[in-house]
């Protein structure tokens, strides 16, 4: 058998054994699989490569830690609960409006950061109690949040996978707004409505308000929402007027917003909240470190070359099947990684179709990786947000919408030149 | 004692993490040692001589000036804009170690982005060094990164907004020297390097400029001469002349609205004809197999070959690979031919350079013969 295929199978097998039999955390299992891959390809235990690979996720790790601390803090102050109470209070009588508002609300942080987890952990966590109080079961609430977060990550103005692909083919990130809106908004609204539909028609409205506990203390709302306002303001500033003063970076923005929370609502112990936030973020940080090692060893051992050469040269229309299947599957390791490793070759294999439309569609499909086990960043965090211990129940609800999204993306690629007439200005 | 007992596992994990960090840290630091260059007689300056604030930073780099006895044209050659494109760096080094300038001045920056030579691109699994056999034995060169080292410029913004065009690129491109021009005196490190190079072009009154690169096999602009419109006729003649010698280049006009690149901004801002040359680096793309330093030098790789057979790559990729001496020879023949054609139309302002290794010599004798 082909040496690279053997290494790949060994890495996957060891990973599966470590996760399912050894019950090791995913991050540790990825690291073990990486070491096995390096040993098998004759590189020994290449500490340099293991560290170098994981370093690429230093920035996302900082964002996740600080975002998590921010989330925990506004939960403690009471701002989260109050927001969902307000959304329900003003929109509960109009289900269509309620769901639309909530979908866009969930998408916003992802649109601004290009990270699905940013959506899940911030606005996703904010609306979760509102959706549950509205009568939508918690598993379905988690599914709505996870899917909207995926679309938010792909929607403009920031789509990091598209930038990653663009960096590989010298395509500036210009003119993506309409194609990306077209790729995300219809799917996002469709998904939310269809998941929520069986539950909103029942008319739970009257008791909805009572279910959400009001703030016990009498706290001024403007003060309560100050941290969120600071967050939105700093995020928008860095986008609207990008310069040295405003480009603080998401981690610092989250830290400043967290500091704005002192005495804004219920009192909290910063030390304890930060500790519990880091504890919650630890598995994901571990996964990112492990993924970095895993990808580095895939490249080093030649498994990446083997995979790409064999996937991309698939004949004619099978390439669409390959795109719809391999991007989300590889995205299980990391959707950014999938865009980098597979997105660029696919785009180049599809030259002749409008590159912007094709790249937009590829990122839409790659984003589905954030729902795929074992990493499933969006899915696992959504499960955490709604207190659902079993992430797979959320995945099960999402599967039809994942399939529809992949299909929608493939349709965009097939009709790229036709869509370009309307979407490329 | 009870403290030790209670926390033994934690302390052990912490200790092993620290020792791995120390071990790997020393390895990373070793990349800061420059590979030696043995230039022929010339004047050695620093890039910071053209822009003082760069002094003492990781962006400062050596500038070598070869001056002829006769006055003539001033020509700039950049190697190592991207430190993971060895043919550009080695072409500059092999020029420096062989040439003698009779007329005009040749200014060479073998490591245009010095910081890029001090690290590797994460997740690529690239080697830190590769070896070339010379008469004296094995000589080592660094294989670096396309980008400025994050240790020198961090963090990246989410989006890189190029100044002054306002063009948006992915955040990591903020560390790409060839997206930074015209640079800025108070920008980030990469923009400062770009600005310093613009200052050099201006202060030395450069008449003709080159930027030497490589690209991945699947990248459409490959084995190419990319020319600013001011250099387009010159470049077209170069490509035609080389074609008669069976050295094939694709001629590409520099895109007018793609900003930050040397072949766009140097020409636009300073009116200098600029030519960028690309050769094909088999380690750079995504199709190559197991990573070894040998791929850089021999250019041989089985998955590149398989990709070529399936029509996935843009260049002719023979079973023998695309070795480094061939790629360097392409750059050198491109330079030499451009000088000849320039001289025929600039009788009073010539650049006459002796002992540039010829294409056929380098293919026959190999690279090592031309390195000290
Ligand atoms: Zn380059």
């Amino acid at each position: 058998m082909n040496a690279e295929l053997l290494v790949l199978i060994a890495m996957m097998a060891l990973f599966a054994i470590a996760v399912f039999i050894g019950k090791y955390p995913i991050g540790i299992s990825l690291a073990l699989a990486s070491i096995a891959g390096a040993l098998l390809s004759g590189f020994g235990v290449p500490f340099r490569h293991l560290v170098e690979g994981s370093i690429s996720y230093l920035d996302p790790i900082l964002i996740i830690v600080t975002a998590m601390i921010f989330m925990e803090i506004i939960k403690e102050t009471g701002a989260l609960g109050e927001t969902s109470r307000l959304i329900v209070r003003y929109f509960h009588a109009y289900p269509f409006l309620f769901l639309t508002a909530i979908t866009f609300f969930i998408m916003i942080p992802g649109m601004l950061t290009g990270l699905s987890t940013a959506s899940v952990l911030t606005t996703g966590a904010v609306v979760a109690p509102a959706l549950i109080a509205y009568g939508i079961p918690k598993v379905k609430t988690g599914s709505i949040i996870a899917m909207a977060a995926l679309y938010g990550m792909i929607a403009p103005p920031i789509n990091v996978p598209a930038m990653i692909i663009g960096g590989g083919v010298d395509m500036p990130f210009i003119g993506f707004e309409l194609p990306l809106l077209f790729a995300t908004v219809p799917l996002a609204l469709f998904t939310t409505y269809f998941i929520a539909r069986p539950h909103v028609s029942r008319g739970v409205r009257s008791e909805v308000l009572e279910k959400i506990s009001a703030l016990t203390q009498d706290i001024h709302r403007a003060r309560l929402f100050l941290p969120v306002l600071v967050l939105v303001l700093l995020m928008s500033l860095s986008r609207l007027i990008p310069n040295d003063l405003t480009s603080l970076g998401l981690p610092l923005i989250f830290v400043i917003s967290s500091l704005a929370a002192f005495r804004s609502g219920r009192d909290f112990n910063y030390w304890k909240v930060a500790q519990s936030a880091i504890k919650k973020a630890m598995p994901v940080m571990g996964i990112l470190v492990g993924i970095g090692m895993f990808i580095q060893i895939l490249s080093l051992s030649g498994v990446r070359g083997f995979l790409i050469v064999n996937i991309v040269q698939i004949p004619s229309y099978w390439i669409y099947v390959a795109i719809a299947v391999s991007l989300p599957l590889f995205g299980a390791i990391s959707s950014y990684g999938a865009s980098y490793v597979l997105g660029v070759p696919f785009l180049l294999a599809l030259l002749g179709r409008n590159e912007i439309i094709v790249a937009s569609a590829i990122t839409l499909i790659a984003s589905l990786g954030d729902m795929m086990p074992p990493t499933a960043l969006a899915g696992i965090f959504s499960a955490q947000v709604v207190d659902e211990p079993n992430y797979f129940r959320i995945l099960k609800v999402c599967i039809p919408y994942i399939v529809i999204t992949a299909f929608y993306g493939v349709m965009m690629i097939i009709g790229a030149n036709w869509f370009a007439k309307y979407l490329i200005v | 004692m009870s403290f030790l007992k209670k926390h033994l596992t934690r302390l052990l994990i912490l200790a092993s993490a620290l020792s791995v960090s120390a071990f790997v840290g020393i390895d990373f630091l070793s990349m800061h040692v420059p590979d030696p260059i043995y230039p022929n007689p010339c004047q050695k300056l620093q890039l910071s001589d053209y822009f003082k604030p760069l002094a003492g930073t990781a962006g400062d780099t050596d500038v070598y000036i070869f001056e002829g006895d006769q006055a003539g044209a001033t020509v700039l050659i950049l190697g190592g804009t991207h430190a993971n494109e060895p043919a550009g760096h080695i072409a500059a080094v092999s020029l420096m170690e062989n040439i003698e300038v009779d007329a005009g001045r040749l200014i060479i920056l073998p490591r245009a982005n010095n910081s890029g030579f001090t690290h590797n691109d994460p997740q690529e699994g690239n080697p830190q060094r590769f070896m070339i056999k010379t008469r004296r034995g094995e000589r080592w060169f660094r294989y670096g990164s396309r980008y400025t080292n994050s240790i020198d410029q961090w963090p990246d913004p989410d989006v890189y907004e190029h100044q002054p065009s306002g063009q948006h690129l992915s955040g990591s491109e903020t560390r790409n020297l060839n997206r930074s021009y015209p640079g800025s005196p108070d920008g980030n490190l990469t923009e400062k390097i770009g600005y310093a190079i613009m200052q050099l072009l201006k202060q030395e009154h450069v008449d003709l400029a080159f930027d030497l690169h490589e690209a991945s096999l699947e990248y459409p602009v490959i084995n190419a001469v990319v020319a600013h419109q001011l250099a387009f006729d010159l470049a077209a003649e170069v490509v035609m002349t080389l074609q008669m010698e069976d050295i094939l280049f694709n001629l590409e006009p520099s895109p007018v609205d793609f900003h930050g690149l040397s072949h766009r901004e140097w020409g636009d801002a300073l009116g200098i004809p600029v030519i960028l040359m690309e050769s094909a680096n088999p380690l750079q793309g995504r199709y190559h197999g197991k990573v070894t330093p040998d791929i850089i030098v021999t250019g041989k790789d089985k998955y590149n070959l398989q990709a070529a057979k399936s029509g996935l790559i843009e260049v002719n990729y023979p079973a023998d690979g695309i070795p480094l001496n061939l790629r360097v020879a392409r750059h050198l023949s491109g330079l030499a031919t451009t000088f000849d054609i320039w001289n025929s139309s600039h009788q009073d302002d010539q650049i006459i350079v002796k002992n540039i290794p010829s294409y056929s010599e380098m293919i026959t004798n190999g690279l090592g013969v031309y390195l000290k």
Side-chain angles (χ1 to χ4, degrees):
Chain A
M1 194 168 29
N2 174 306
E4 283 78 12
L5 181 59
L6 206 69
V7 173
L8 177 65
I9 292 174
M11 287 172 82
M12 299 299 230
L14 191 73
F15 175 74
I17 291 170
V19 170
F20 296 114
I21 299 173
K23 303 281 178 207
Y24 285 113
I26 291 167
I28 303 276
S29 306
L30 283 165
L32 289 176
S34 310
I35 292 171
L39 278 171
L40 266 176
S41 3
F43 288 98
V45 182
F47 287 114
R48 176 215 140 199
H49 284 295
L50 297 174
V51 173
E52 192 174 284
S54 53
I55 266 295
S56 36
Y57 294 113
L58 178 63
D59 293 15
I61 283 173
L62 286 175
I63 293 172
I64 288 174
V65 169
T66 50
M68 201 63 153
I69 292 175
F70 176 77
M71 277 310 308
E72 290 290 304
I73 285 179
I74 58 170
K75 210 190 263 172
E76 286 295 309
T77 61
L80 271 193
E82 181 65 6
T83 308
S84 38
R85 206 175 68 90
L86 288 176
I87 291 180
V88 174
R89 182 158 150 204
Y90 290 107
F91 287 109
H92 72 277
Y94 320 96
F96 194 77
L97 226 73
F98 174 76
L99 293 173
T100 305
I102 275 190
T103 306
F104 279 112
F105 190 57
I106 299 171
M107 286 170 74
I108 288 170
M111 294 163 82
L112 290 175
T113 61
L115 274 172
S116 59
T117 40
S119 270
V120 176
L121 290 176
T122 57
T123 46
V126 169
V127 299
L131 284 168
I132 292 170
Y134 205 69
I136 297 165
K138 70 179 183 184
V139 170
K140 291 197 170 181
T141 298
S143 308
I144 289 175
I145 293 171
M147 291 307 288
L150 292 193
Y151 302 125
M153 151 186 174
I154 294 310
I158 301 296
N159 174 326
V160 177
M163 293 178 177
I164 290 173
I165 293 175
V169 294
D170 268 353
M171 172 171 57
F173 187 62
I174 298 168
F176 277 81
E177 287 83 0
L178 275 179
L180 290 177
L181 283 175
F182 177 76
T184 53
V185 174
L187 282 172
L189 295 178
F190 170 85
T191 304
T192 308
Y193 295 147
F194 269 77
I195 296 178
R197 206 187 44 168
H199 309 282
V200 289
S201 50
R202 274 186 221 140
V204 274
R205 272 136 228 175
S206 52
E207 71 264 21
V208 159
L209 275 174
E210 294 152 30
K211 274 194 191 170
I212 295 191
S213 55
L215 271 178
T216 42
Q217 278 166 283
D218 183 32
I219 289 163
H220 202 271
R221 232 177 249 149
R223 230 172 71 198
L224 188 62
F225 292 128
L226 183 68
V228 182
L229 276 176
V230 171
L231 180 74
V232 172
L233 189 78
L234 292 178
M235 269 189 181
S236 326
L237 261 184
S238 66
R239 293 281 177 264
L240 299 175
I241 336 168
N243 62 42
D244 287 351
L245 268 180
T246 57
S247 296
L248 299 174
L250 280 173
L252 187 54
I253 289 178
F254 277 118
V255 168
I256 295 173
S257 313
S258 304
L259 293 178
F262 277 104
R263 308 211 59 77
S264 74
R266 282 195 296 259
D267 279 338
F268 60 93
N269 178 330
Y270 187 84
W271 182 244
K272 280 212 176 110
V273 174
Q275 258 184 333
S276 98
I278 288 173
K279 214 171 235 168
K280 280 190 184 166
M282 195 57 87
V284 177
M285 297 193 282
I287 289 170
L288 286 175
V289 169
I291 290 165
M293 295 179 183
F294 199 82
I295 294 183
Q296 178 104 357
I297 300 302
L298 286 186
S299 306
L300 181 69
S301 59
V303 173
R304 182 181 75 171
F306 162 77
L307 271 177
I308 295 175
V309 167
N310 286 295
I311 290 174
V312 177
Q313 66 180 343
I314 290 167
S316 67
Y317 57 88
W318 281 102
I319 195 162
Y320 302 116
V321 180
I323 288 175
V325 174
S326 68
L327 276 173
L329 284 188
F330 195 105
I333 297 176
S334 147
S335 57
Y336 287 7
S339 311
Y340 181 66
V341 174
L342 293 174
V344 173
F346 276 135
L347 183 67
L348 291 171
L350 291 163
L351 278 184
R353 293 165 203 273
N354 185 287
E355 287 179 24
I356 295 179
I357 307 275
V358 172
S360 304
I362 286 177
T363 62
L364 175 68
I365 301 172
S367 75
L368 297 173
D370 279 7
M371 282 302 289
M372 296 292 156
T375 54
L377 290 182
I380 286 174
F381 274 132
S382 299
Q384 236 175 58
V385 160
V386 296
D387 282 326
E388 167 57 51
N390 186 359
Y391 145 73
F392 285 95
R393 295 188 59 199
I394 288 180
L395 177 64
K396 211 175 127 194
V397 174
C398 294
I399 283 174
Y401 305 97
I402 290 174
V403 173
I404 290 168
T405 303
F407 185 75
Y408 191 91
V410 168
M411 284 299 122
M412 277 182 74
I413 295 174
I414 291 175
N417 288 341
W418 185 80
F419 286 120
K421 282 190 257 175
Y422 305 96
L423 298 175
I424 303 293
V425 189
Chain B
M1 201 55 221
S2 68
F3 176 84
L4 247 182
K5 227 178 211 167
K6 201 171 146 201
H7 297 287
L8 189 62
T9 323
R10 288 172 188 186
L11 287 172
L12 276 177
I13 290 174
L14 204 60
S16 47
L18 279 174
S19 29
V20 168
S21 305
F23 176 75
V24 173
I26 291 167
D27 197 11
F28 286 145
L29 275 177
S30 74
M31 285 287 280
H32 289 257
V33 179
D35 33 64
I37 299 176
Y38 312 99
N40 281 348
C42 63
Q43 187 192 1
K44 187 180 168 192
L45 296 176
Q46 294 294 305
L47 186 56
S48 57
D49 291 328
Y50 302 90
F51 177 57
K52 286 282 172 257
L54 208 57
T57 71
D60 205 357
T61 189
D62 299 333
V63 175
Y64 299 86
I65 303 184
F66 296 78
E67 187 152 13
D69 291 336
Q70 301 169 48
T74 299
V75 176
L76 174 75
I77 297 173
L78 289 197
T81 289
H82 294 142
N84 62 335
E85 298 168 7
H89 175 55
I90 302 291
V93 173
S94 58
L95 268 184
M96 290 163 58
E97 300 189 355
N98 289 282
I99 56 161
E100 202 178 306
V101 173
D102 280 350
R105 295 192 313 150
L106 195 55
I107 305 175
I108 302 179
L109 275 70
R111 295 184 276 255
N113 188 351
N114 207 6
S115 171
F117 281 85
T118 61
H119 70 131
N120 293 102
D121 293 325
Q123 304 195 341
E124 288 294 317
N126 282 332
Q128 294 173 319
R129 291 170 193 85
F130 60 97
M131 311 294 284
I132 297 175
K133 274 204 184 68
T134 68
R135 288 200 191 113
R136 289 198 224 168
E138 294 241 284
R139 188 164 155 188
W140 61 276
F141 293 92
R142 282 176 297 174
Y143 189 86
S145 156
R146 178 179 178 82
Y147 301 106
T148 301
N149 194 337
S150 300
I151 211 88
D152 302 320
Q153 183 184 319
W154 184 86
D156 293 339
D158 300 319
V159 177
Y160 167 43
E161 189 173 75
H162 172 261
Q163 297 303 338
S165 71
Q167 164 185 284
H168 284 182
L169 293 170
S170 87
S172 58
E173 293 294 302
T174 197
R175 288 182 285 120
N176 181 349
L177 177 59
N178 203 26
R179 298 293 179 278
S180 76
Y181 302 113
S184 153
D186 40 36
N188 60 44
L189 181 67
T190 311
E191 287 169 321
K192 282 188 178 131
I193 302 170
Y195 180 79
I197 289 172
M198 296 293 283
Q199 289 302 306
L200 182 155
L201 286 157
K202 214 190 276 182
Q203 291 169 29
E204 295 288 358
H205 304 285
V206 171
D207 299 299
L208 174 63
F210 297 87
D211 193 3
L212 304 182
H213 286 256
E214 296 205 82
S216 61
L217 306 182
E218 63 265 31
Y219 187 60
V221 184
I222 196 159
N223 277 354
V225 169
V226 188
H228 187 269
Q229 61 266 25
L230 290 169
F232 196 74
D233 292 344
L234 177 64
E237 221 178 318
V238 171
V239 169
M240 269 170 21
T241 310
L242 287 170
Q243 199 164 23
M244 287 187 275
E245 299 168 33
D246 274 336
I247 306 170
L248 303 182
F249 277 98
N250 303 313
L251 178 63
E252 307 269 351
S254 162
V256 181
D257 49 6
F258 191 10
H259 289 283
L261 294 102
S262 54
H263 54 70
R264 171 55 36 214
E265 308 298 343
W266 297 356
D268 283 4
L270 305 169
I272 299 170
V274 189
I275 289 175
L276 181 146
M277 292 195 280
E278 300 262 19
S279 54
N281 176 7
L283 191 57
Q284 225 178 314
R286 287 166 176 76
Y287 294 130
H288 66 76
K290 189 168 167 176
V291 177
T292 64
D294 286 348
I295 298 183
I296 299 168
V297 182
T298 65
K300 248 167 125 168
D301 174 80
K302 66 170 173 178
Y303 287 125
N304 277 330
L305 190 62
Q306 196 184 327
K309 283 180 181 156
S310 319
L312 293 170
I313 66 182
E314 300 280 329
V315 284
N316 175 30
Y317 188 87
D320 298 342
I322 308 177
L324 186 57
N325 63 330
L326 172 73
R327 285 134 61 195
V328 171
R330 291 178 61 88
H331 280 328
L332 295 183
S333 65
L335 292 170
T337 309
T338 315
F339 294 165
D340 288 344
I341 292 167
W342 169 273
N343 289 342
S344 63
S345 58
H346 294 79
Q347 296 292 344
D348 308 324
D349 206 16
Q350 296 198 326
I351 175 75
I352 300 178
V353 184
K354 276 198 313 206
N355 301 336
I356 300 180
S358 81
Y359 184 83
S360 56
E361 279 172 346
M362 190 160 269
I363 300 297
T364 327
N365 305 335
L367 195 48
V369 176
Y370 303 97
L371 294 169
K372 286 180 183 166

